[in-house]
CSV table of all heavy atoms in Angstrom, one decimal:
chain,number,residue,atom,x,y,z
F,295,ARG,N,-6.3,5.1,-1.9
F,295,ARG,CA,-7.2,4.3,-2.8
F,295,ARG,C,-7.2,4.9,-4.2
F,295,ARG,O,-7.0,4.1,-5.3
F,295,ARG,CB,-8.5,4.2,-2.2
F,295,ARG,CG,-9.3,3.2,-3.0
F,295,ARG,CD,-10.7,2.8,-2.2
F,295,ARG,NE,-11.4,1.7,-2.9
F,295,ARG,CZ,-12.5,1.3,-2.4
F,295,ARG,NH1,-13.1,1.8,-1.3
F,295,ARG,NH2,-13.1,0.2,-3.0
F,296,LYS,N,-7.4,6.2,-4.4
F,296,LYS,CA,-7.6,6.9,-5.7
F,296,LYS,C,-6.2,6.6,-6.5
F,296,LYS,O,-6.3,6.4,-7.7
F,296,LYS,CB,-7.9,8.4,-5.5
F,296,LYS,CG,-7.9,9.1,-6.8
F,296,LYS,CD,-8.1,10.6,-6.6
F,296,LYS,CE,-8.0,11.4,-7.9
F,296,LYS,NZ,-8.3,12.9,-7.5
F,297,TRP,N,-5.1,6.8,-5.8
F,297,TRP,CA,-3.8,6.9,-6.5
F,297,TRP,C,-3.1,5.5,-6.5
F,297,TRP,O,-1.9,5.4,-7.0
F,297,TRP,CB,-2.9,7.9,-5.9
F,297,TRP,CG,-3.3,9.2,-6.1
F,297,TRP,CD1,-4.2,10.0,-5.4
F,297,TRP,CD2,-2.8,10.1,-7.2
F,297,TRP,NE1,-4.4,11.2,-6.0
F,297,TRP,CE2,-3.4,11.4,-7.2
F,297,TRP,CE3,-1.9,10.1,-8.3
F,297,TRP,CZ2,-3.3,12.3,-8.0
F,297,TRP,CZ3,-1.8,10.9,-9.3
F,297,TRP,CH2,-2.5,12.1,-9.1
F,298,TRP,N,-3.8,4.5,-5.8
F,298,TRP,CA,-3.0,3.2,-5.6
F,298,TRP,C,-2.4,2.6,-6.9
F,298,TRP,O,-1.3,2.0,-7.0
F,298,TRP,CB,-4.0,2.2,-5.0
F,298,TRP,CG,-3.4,0.8,-4.7
F,298,TRP,CD1,-3.7,-0.3,-5.2
F,298,TRP,CD2,-2.4,0.5,-3.7
F,298,TRP,NE1,-2.9,-1.4,-4.7
F,298,TRP,CE2,-2.1,-0.9,-3.8
F,298,TRP,CE3,-1.6,1.3,-2.8
F,298,TRP,CZ2,-1.1,-1.5,-2.9
F,298,TRP,CZ3,-0.7,0.6,-2.0
F,298,TRP,CH2,-0.5,-0.7,-2.0
F,299,SER,N,-3.3,2.5,-8.0
F,299,SER,CA,-2.8,2.0,-9.1
F,299,SER,C,-1.6,2.7,-9.9
F,299,SER,O,-1.0,2.1,-10.8
F,299,SER,CB,-3.9,1.9,-10.2
F,299,SER,OG,-4.5,3.1,-10.6
F,300,ARG,N,-1.3,3.8,-9.5
F,300,ARG,CA,-0.4,4.7,-10.1
F,300,ARG,C,1.0,4.8,-9.1
F,300,ARG,O,1.9,5.5,-9.5
F,300,ARG,CB,-0.7,6.1,-10.4
F,300,ARG,CG,-1.9,6.0,-11.5
F,300,ARG,CD,-2.7,7.3,-11.6
F,300,ARG,NE,-1.8,8.4,-12.2
F,300,ARG,CZ,-2.3,9.6,-12.4
F,300,ARG,NH1,-3.6,9.9,-12.2
F,300,ARG,NH2,-1.6,10.6,-13.0
F,301,ILE,N,1.0,4.0,-8.0
F,301,ILE,CA,2.1,4.0,-7.2
F,301,ILE,C,2.9,2.8,-7.5
F,301,ILE,O,2.5,1.6,-7.7
F,301,ILE,CB,1.7,3.8,-5.8
F,301,ILE,CG1,0.7,5.0,-5.3
F,301,ILE,CG2,2.9,3.9,-4.8
F,301,ILE,CD1,0.2,5.0,-3.9
F,302,TRP,N,4.3,3.0,-7.7
F,302,TRP,CA,5.3,2.0,-7.8
F,302,TRP,C,6.3,2.1,-6.7
F,302,TRP,O,6.9,3.0,-6.5
F,302,TRP,CB,6.0,2.2,-9.2
F,302,TRP,CG,5.1,1.9,-10.5
F,302,TRP,CD1,4.2,2.8,-10.9
F,302,TRP,CD2,5.2,0.8,-11.2
F,302,TRP,NE1,3.7,2.1,-12.0
F,302,TRP,CE2,4.2,1.0,-12.2
F,302,TRP,CE3,6.0,-0.4,-11.3
F,302,TRP,CZ2,4.0,0.0,-13.2
F,302,TRP,CZ3,5.8,-1.3,-12.2
F,302,TRP,CH2,4.7,-1.1,-13.3
F,303,TRP,N,6.2,0.9,-5.8
F,303,TRP,CA,6.9,0.9,-4.7
F,303,TRP,C,8.4,0.4,-5.0
F,303,TRP,O,8.6,-0.6,-5.7
F,303,TRP,CB,6.4,-0.1,-3.7
F,303,TRP,CG,5.0,0.4,-3.2
F,303,TRP,CD1,3.8,0.0,-3.7
F,303,TRP,CD2,4.7,1.4,-2.3
F,303,TRP,NE1,2.8,0.7,-3.1
F,303,TRP,CE2,3.3,1.5,-2.2
F,303,TRP,CE3,5.5,2.1,-1.3
F,303,TRP,CZ2,2.7,2.4,-1.4
F,303,TRP,CZ3,4.9,2.9,-0.4
F,303,TRP,CH2,3.4,3.1,-0.5
F,304,LEU,N,9.5,1.0,-4.5
F,304,LEU,CA,10.9,0.4,-4.4
F,304,LEU,C,10.8,-0.9,-3.9
F,304,LEU,O,10.2,-1.2,-2.8
F,304,LEU,CB,11.8,1.5,-3.8
F,304,LEU,CG,12.0,2.8,-4.3
F,304,LEU,CD1,13.1,3.5,-3.5
F,304,LEU,CD2,12.4,2.7,-5.8
F,305,GLU,N,11.6,-1.8,-4.5
F,305,GLU,CA,11.7,-3.2,-4.0
F,305,GLU,C,12.2,-3.3,-2.7
F,305,GLU,O,12.0,-4.4,-2.0
F,305,GLU,CB,12.5,-4.0,-5.1
F,305,GLU,CG,11.8,-4.3,-6.5
F,305,GLU,CD,12.6,-5.1,-7.3
F,305,GLU,OE1,13.8,-5.3,-7.1
F,305,GLU,OE2,12.0,-5.6,-8.4
F,306,ASP,N,13.0,-2.4,-2.2
F,306,ASP,CA,13.4,-2.3,-0.9
F,306,ASP,C,12.4,-2.0,0.2
F,306,ASP,O,12.8,-2.0,1.4
F,306,ASP,CB,14.6,-1.4,-0.7
F,306,ASP,CG,16.0,-1.9,-1.5
F,306,ASP,OD1,16.0,-3.3,-1.7
F,306,ASP,OD2,16.8,-1.3,-1.8
F,307,THR,N,11.2,-1.6,-0.2
F,307,THR,CA,10.2,-1.3,0.8
F,307,THR,C,10.0,-2.5,1.7
F,307,THR,O,9.8,-3.6,1.3
F,307,THR,CB,9.0,-0.9,0.0
F,307,THR,OG1,9.2,0.3,-0.8
F,307,THR,CG2,7.8,-0.6,1.0
F,308,ASP,N,9.7,-2.1,2.9
F,308,ASP,CA,9.6,-3.1,4.0
F,308,ASP,C,8.3,-3.9,3.7
F,308,ASP,O,7.2,-3.3,3.6
F,308,ASP,CB,9.4,-2.3,5.3
F,308,ASP,CG,9.2,-3.3,6.5
F,308,ASP,OD1,9.2,-4.4,6.4
F,308,ASP,OD2,9.1,-2.7,7.6
F,309,PRO,N,8.3,-5.2,3.6
F,309,PRO,CA,7.2,-6.0,3.4
F,309,PRO,C,6.0,-5.8,4.4
F,309,PRO,O,4.8,-5.9,4.1
F,309,PRO,CB,7.7,-7.4,3.4
F,309,PRO,CG,9.1,-7.4,3.0
F,309,PRO,CD,9.6,-6.1,3.7
F,310,GLU,N,6.5,-5.6,5.7
F,310,GLU,CA,5.5,-5.4,6.7
F,310,GLU,C,4.7,-4.1,6.4
F,310,GLU,O,3.5,-4.0,6.9
F,310,GLU,CB,6.1,-5.4,8.1
F,310,GLU,CG,6.7,-6.7,8.5
F,310,GLU,CD,5.7,-7.8,8.6
F,310,GLU,OE1,4.5,-7.6,8.7
F,310,GLU,OE2,6.1,-9.0,8.5
F,311,TYR,N,5.4,-3.1,6.0
F,311,TYR,CA,4.7,-1.8,5.6
F,311,TYR,C,3.7,-2.1,4.5
F,311,TYR,O,2.5,-1.6,4.7
F,311,TYR,CB,5.8,-0.9,5.0
F,311,TYR,CG,5.3,0.5,4.6
F,311,TYR,CD1,5.4,1.6,5.4
F,311,TYR,CD2,4.8,0.7,3.2
F,311,TYR,CE1,4.9,2.8,5.0
F,311,TYR,CE2,4.3,1.9,2.9
F,311,TYR,CZ,4.4,3.1,3.7
F,311,TYR,OH,3.9,4.2,3.2
F,312,ILE,N,4.0,-2.7,3.4
F,312,ILE,CA,3.1,-3.0,2.4
F,312,ILE,C,2.0,-4.0,2.9
F,312,ILE,O,0.7,-3.8,2.6
F,312,ILE,CB,3.8,-3.7,1.2
F,312,ILE,CG1,4.8,-2.8,0.6
F,312,ILE,CG2,2.8,-4.2,0.1
F,312,ILE,CD1,4.2,-1.6,-0.1
F,313,ASN,N,2.3,-4.9,3.7
F,313,ASN,CA,1.3,-5.8,4.2
F,313,ASN,C,0.3,-5.1,5.0
F,313,ASN,O,-0.9,-5.5,4.9
F,313,ASN,CB,2.0,-7.0,5.1
F,313,ASN,CG,1.0,-8.1,5.4
F,313,ASN,OD1,0.5,-8.7,4.5
F,313,ASN,ND2,0.8,-8.4,6.6
F,314,GLU,N,0.6,-4.2,5.8
F,314,GLU,CA,-0.3,-3.4,6.6
F,314,GLU,C,-1.3,-2.6,5.7
F,314,GLU,O,-2.4,-2.5,6.0
F,314,GLU,CB,0.4,-2.4,7.6
F,314,GLU,CG,-0.5,-1.8,8.6
F,314,GLU,CD,0.2,-0.9,9.6
F,314,GLU,OE1,0.8,0.1,9.2
F,314,GLU,OE2,0.2,-1.2,10.8
F,315,ILE,N,-0.7,-2.2,4.5
F,315,ILE,CA,-1.7,-1.5,3.6
F,315,ILE,C,-2.7,-2.5,3.0
F,315,ILE,O,-3.9,-2.3,2.9
F,315,ILE,CB,-0.9,-0.8,2.5
F,315,ILE,CG1,-0.1,0.4,3.2
F,315,ILE,CG2,-1.7,-0.3,1.4
F,315,ILE,CD1,0.8,1.0,2.1
F,316,LEU,N,-2.0,-3.8,2.6
F,316,LEU,CA,-3.0,-4.7,2.0
F,316,LEU,C,-4.0,-5.2,3.1
F,316,LEU,O,-5.1,-5.7,2.5
F,316,LEU,CB,-2.1,-5.8,1.5
F,316,LEU,CG,-1.1,-5.6,0.5
F,316,LEU,CD1,-0.3,-6.8,0.0
F,316,LEU,CD2,-1.8,-5.0,-0.9
F,317,GLU,N,-3.8,-5.2,4.3
F,317,GLU,CA,-4.7,-5.7,5.4
F,317,GLU,C,-5.7,-4.6,5.7
F,317,GLU,O,-6.5,-4.9,6.4
F,317,GLU,CB,-3.8,-6.1,6.5
F,317,GLU,CG,-3.0,-7.4,6.3
F,317,GLU,CD,-3.8,-8.6,6.1
F,317,GLU,OE1,-5.1,-8.6,6.5
F,317,GLU,OE2,-3.4,-9.5,5.4
F,318,TYR,N,-5.5,-3.3,5.2
F,318,TYR,CA,-6.3,-2.3,5.7
F,318,TYR,C,-7.8,-2.3,5.4
F,318,TYR,O,-8.2,-2.7,4.2
F,318,TYR,CB,-5.8,-0.9,5.2
F,318,TYR,CG,-6.5,0.3,5.8
F,318,TYR,CD1,-6.5,0.7,7.1
F,318,TYR,CD2,-7.5,0.9,5.0
F,318,TYR,CE1,-7.2,1.7,7.7
F,318,TYR,CE2,-8.3,2.0,5.5
F,318,TYR,CZ,-8.1,2.3,6.9
F,318,TYR,OH,-8.9,3.4,7.4
F,319,SER,N,-8.6,-2.1,6.4
F,319,SER,CA,-10.0,-1.8,6.2
F,319,SER,C,-10.5,-0.8,7.1
F,319,SER,O,-9.7,-0.3,8.0
F,319,SER,CB,-10.8,-3.2,6.4
F,319,SER,OG,-10.8,-3.6,7.8
F,320,GLU,N,-11.7,-0.5,7.2
F,320,GLU,CA,-12.2,0.7,8.0
F,320,GLU,C,-12.0,0.1,9.5
F,320,GLU,O,-11.9,1.1,10.4
F,320,GLU,CB,-13.8,0.8,7.7
F,320,GLU,CG,-14.2,1.9,8.5
F,320,GLU,CD,-15.8,2.4,8.2
F,320,GLU,OE1,-16.3,1.5,7.4
F,320,GLU,OE2,-16.2,3.3,8.8
F,321,HIS,N,-12.1,-1.1,9.8
F,321,HIS,CA,-12.0,-1.6,11.1
F,321,HIS,C,-10.6,-2.1,11.5
F,321,HIS,O,-10.5,-2.9,12.4
F,321,HIS,CB,-13.1,-2.6,11.4
F,321,HIS,CG,-14.5,-2.0,11.1
F,321,HIS,ND1,-15.0,-1.0,11.8
F,321,HIS,CD2,-15.3,-2.4,10.1
F,321,HIS,CE1,-16.1,-0.7,11.2
F,321,HIS,NE2,-16.5,-1.6,10.3
F,322,ALA,N,-9.6,-1.9,10.7
F,322,ALA,CA,-8.3,-2.5,10.9
F,322,ALA,C,-7.7,-2.0,12.2
F,322,ALA,O,-7.8,-0.9,12.6
F,322,ALA,CB,-7.3,-2.1,9.7
């Protein structure tokens, strides 16, 4: 969370990988 705004993901990154991060919460 602290570093999120400074991360640039390669465009080849798996969408399901990114989606799991976007869906994350304490009870995920």
Side-chain angles (χ1 to χ4, degrees):
R295 189 173 189 179
K296 176 182 177 181
W297 289 88
W298 181 250
S299 64
R300 296 166 70 176
I301 301 173
W302 289 76
W303 298 96
L304 293 184
E305 288 182 349
D306 289 338
T307 294
D308 182 1
E310 295 297 340
Y311 177 101
I312 298 292
N313 192 54
E314 191 175 63
I315 294 176
L316 297 179
E317 292 294 333
Y318 180 75
S319 68
E320 185 175 6
H321 306 293

